[in-house]
Amino acid sequence: MDMLNDPALTAFREEIRAFLTAHLPGDIRRAAARATSVFIDPDVSLPWQRILHAQGWAAPDWPAEFGGPGWSEIERYIFAAECAQAGAPNLAPMGLKMVAPVIMHYGSSEQRAHYLPRILSGEDYWCQGFSEPGAGSDLAALQLRAVPDSDDYVLNGSKIWTTHAHFANRMFALVRTSNEGKPQAGISFLLLDMATPGISVEPIRTLAGDHEFNQVFFDDVRVPQANRLGDENGGWSVAKHLLTFERGGKYAPTLIGRLERLRARDDIEPVLRAQLDREAVTLKALQALELKAMRGVGGSAALYASALKVLGTETAQRIDTLACEVAGHAAWADADGQTPADLAVAVPRYLNDRAATIYAGSNEIQRDLIARMMLG
Ligand SMILES: Cc1cc2nc3c(=O)[nH]c(=O)nc-3n(C[C@H](O)[C@H](O)[C@H](O)COP(=O)(O)OP(=O)(O)OC[C@H]3O[C@@H](n4cnc5c(N)ncnc54)[C@H](O)[C@@H]3O)c2cc1C
């Protein structure tokens, strides 16, 4: 933990703080404070991404050769912590954090040159087409057919729970290109243009009332075979690589910000305060684990990704519950818009966050993966 307070990093931290003070617009900060989901709408996240991009900081985790700032792991962590502290919105992860690393790893030089700059600038906004009505935890059961026809594949079927498909102009999708052998061995990974004829997007409302995800239908959709990432029938390896980036990451910086704003209130009765204090200790432990994961100490990336997903999302849900208790009736009485943001959105955030232990692979499945990786 002392790594975060190393005096050698003071100048770096000051530079980030000064930038955030000068460049994070108040309207973006206010919209982020009232967001009820980790998936922030692009009308809030993209303007902030463009500001960061102009500074060269839109993708702290990318290697410098592709446009990352070339920071060390600890500098990247400090950047995330300072952004959370300043109230900056999350950037959409589907492009920057999910598909970009697999394009870097599996993409041809043409695919890298075409897609990566457009992800960085926000020109392309991505959604993830993995789950289907009959394929969630058992993802390898997916059935969306991609049949070769001259230089194209022709796609028929549907994807479901597709976050922000109604905003996206691109989708990365797993499709079935063969029924031979094991189900995993007949899957390919495609990069699609959402404007292709035959794609339609139907909204699904969440428990919290948000329109965040969708069902996407494919009716004779032609996708050039050149848009495949990796080998035909080799998509399962690409997907597994991607899921490590989807699941891992930094939960503690945002959660510490939320918890500390609750703990700073002076109207909290002692039993509730003790519960908040206990979560503060949990978050210190989570932060220590995230720092170890970033440096790859003591475990594989996949093991850390699953462990952090379970710990981060379950801690978030406990903090959601405590936020509702702190808010009390204030959670329902924001008619004048004057209630502090964390209290005003406590209930919708609680409802929205029920999904956190399901998406990116449910926590039951993560526990199974952890057991297999640790016990063999
Ligand atoms: C808010 C949200 C956003 C999402 N966004 C996307 C997206 O953008 N793109 C995308 O492709 N998908 C997305 N998903 C889908 C998500 O990946 C799936 O919901 C998830 O993988 C679980 O699949 P399922 O919903 O079919 O549940 P099921 O697989 O039917 O599981 C139902 C329950 O059974 C349990 N279960 C299933 N199998 C086992 C087992 N072997 N052992 C123990 N327990 C088991 C599960 O843990 C769960 O509790 C999103 C989901 C949510 C909630």
Side-chain angles (χ1 to χ4, degrees):
M1 299 297 285
D2 285 334
M3 284 182 310
L4 285 178
N5 297 315
D6 184 341
L9 293 163
T10 304
F12 177 79
R13 191 190 310 272
E14 293 304 324
E15 183 191 359
I16 304 295
R17 270 189 199 166
F19 175 82
L20 289 165
T21 305
H23 295 283
L24 175 59
D27 57 340
I28 292 183
R29 196 168 36 75
R30 279 188 292 279
R34 289 192 170 242
T36 55
S37 169
V38 291
F39 299 108
I40 309 283
D41 281 0
D43 62 341
V44 176
S45 70
L46 279 179
W48 178 231
Q49 181 171 334
R50 287 188 202 105
I51 293 169
L52 288 175
H53 180 49
Q55 179 74 6
W57 293 354
D61 298 328
W62 287 23
E65 63 173 305
F66 296 118
W71 291 335
S72 67
E73 288 93 351
I74 195 76
E75 286 171 332
R76 279 143 51 190
Y77 202 90
I78 288 173
F79 178 72
E82 292 299 328
C83 286
Q85 186 70 30
N90 295 338
L91 302 185
M94 289 77 84
L96 289 164
K97 292 198 174 150
M98 290 161 63
V99 78
V102 294
I103 291 175
M104 290 173 203
H105 192 86
Y106 293 92
S108 64
S109 48
E110 292 78 21
Q111 287 171 326
R112 290 172 174 183
H114 178 73
Y115 290 112
L116 294 176
R118 299 163 65 101
I119 293 174
L120 211 47
S121 67
E123 185 177 348
D124 280 349
Y125 193 86
W126 288 80
C127 63
Q128 175 187 28
F130 278 18
S131 306
E132 296 182 11
S137 301
D138 184 13
L139 185 58
L142 64 92
Q143 292 300 330
L144 193 146
R145 285 289 292 164
V147 178
D149 183 43
S150 65
D151 291 339
D152 296 336
Y153 291 112
V154 179
L155 273 53
N156 280 288
S158 93
K159 293 290 174 185
I160 198 165
W161 317 126
T162 322
T163 301
H164 287 194
H166 52 306
F167 298 126
N169 65 333
R170 304 270 166 199
M171 172 191 278
F172 55 91
L174 294 177
V175 297
R176 181 148 301 284
T177 36
S178 169
N179 284 313
E180 303 289 315
K182 281 172 49 178
Q184 288 85 346
I187 293 171
S188 299
F189 193 108
L190 297 184
L191 308 173
L192 316 175
D193 182 340
M194 290 293 282
T196 316
I199 297 181
S200 53
V201 178
E202 297 289 336
I204 303 176
R205 294 260 162 212
T206 65
L207 178 69
D210 305 317
H211 176 199
E212 193 168 289
F213 51 27
N214 306 272
Q215 185 162 7
V216 183
F217 296 90
F218 295 78
D219 186 10
D220 284 334
V221 174
R222 298 193 78 88
V223 178
Q225 293 195 23
N227 287 21
R228 196 184 61 235
L229 196 67
D231 295 335
E232 188 170 84
N233 300 323
W236 192 247
S237 307
V238 185
K240 281 201 297 187
H241 191 74
L242 184 146
L243 286 170
T244 306
F245 294 98
E246 178 176 4
R247 287 176 189 146
K250 309 173 191 78
Y251 293 88
T254 306
L255 293 177
I256 288 172
R258 283 184 58 200
L259 188 70
E260 291 311 316
R261 287 193 295 277
L262 295 175
R263 290 174 83 212
R265 298 183 65 81
D266 53 17
D267 58 352
I268 294 176
E269 48 99 2
V271 173
L272 193 49
R273 182 165 293 286
Q275 290 175 288
L276 293 171
D277 291 348
R278 192 164 59 212
E279 294 308 334
V281 177
T282 307
L283 284 178
K284 287 282 180 204
L286 181 62
Q287 189 177 54
L289 200 63
E290 289 177 350
L291 287 165
K292 274 182 78 174
M294 285 196 80
R295 289 174 299 128
V297 183
S300 70
L303 177 61
Y304 272 122
S306 291
L308 291 175
K309 203 265 162 169
V310 169
L311 293 171
T313 53
E314 293 179 7
T315 306
Q317 290 184 342
R318 287 197 305 278
I319 293 173
D320 291 333
T321 305
L322 293 172
C324 289
E325 291 195 38
V326 172
H329 79 279
W332 306 102
D334 187 35
D336 56 1
Q338 297 304 308
T339 306
D342 283 301
L343 307 190
V345 297
V347 172
R349 203 174 260 172
Y350 170 93
L351 292 173
N352 189 291
D353 240 2
R354 298 303 90 195
T357 45
I358 302 172
Y359 60 63
S362 76
N363 285 20
E364 289 79 19
I365 296 295
Q366 301 315 311
R367 286 189 159 87
D368 205 19
L369 290 171
I370 292 166
R372 267 190 265 165
M373 283 186 269
M374 295 199 72
L375 305 176

